[in-house]
Amino acid sequence: QVQLVESGGGLVQAGGSLRLSCAASGRTFANYAMGWFRQAPGKEREFVAAVGWYSITYADSVKGRFTISRDNAKKTVYLQMNSLKPEDTAIYYCATSLDLRALVSGDIDYWGQGTQVTVSS
């Protein structure tokens, strides 16, 4: 099994930056696509970004502002968030899936517990 633990959330002003980290334990980290979802109060969980073996994809709402990366040696995936907007306020969840397409589609094998990101206006 794989366990995912997010960190790095917090409170920032609009225009600020945060870097989220997701540390994985267990097996098969390098064999999984890794990504981030977020869920705001009263809204459904939505895809944010993902990295697979050959591709990286982002939701339109974060393109140009967020950058996803992974360090397989450290079993960690990151989400660098710049130019944050109040609409980015949400709980951010790390996720893994067998491949990138499955992850983006919401077919998730493992979820992290989430980390709160709050962006003030």
Side-chain angles (χ1 to χ4, degrees), residues 29 69-78:
F29 176 84
S69 61
R70 63 190 294 170
D71 185 333
N72 289 337
K74 296 181 178 180
K75 296 184 177 181
T76 301
V77 63
Y78 304 95

Side-chain angles (χ1 to χ4, degrees), residues 31-58:
N31 296 324
Y32 275 78
M34 305 292 299
W36 294 90
F37 288 73
R38 66 187 183 186
Q39 187 167 22
K43 299 182 65 178
E44 296 183 350
R45 190 171 298 186
E46 65 177 354
F47 169 76
V48 176
V51 55
W53 298 276
Y54 307 106
S55 301
I56 294 175
T57 188
Y58 298 94

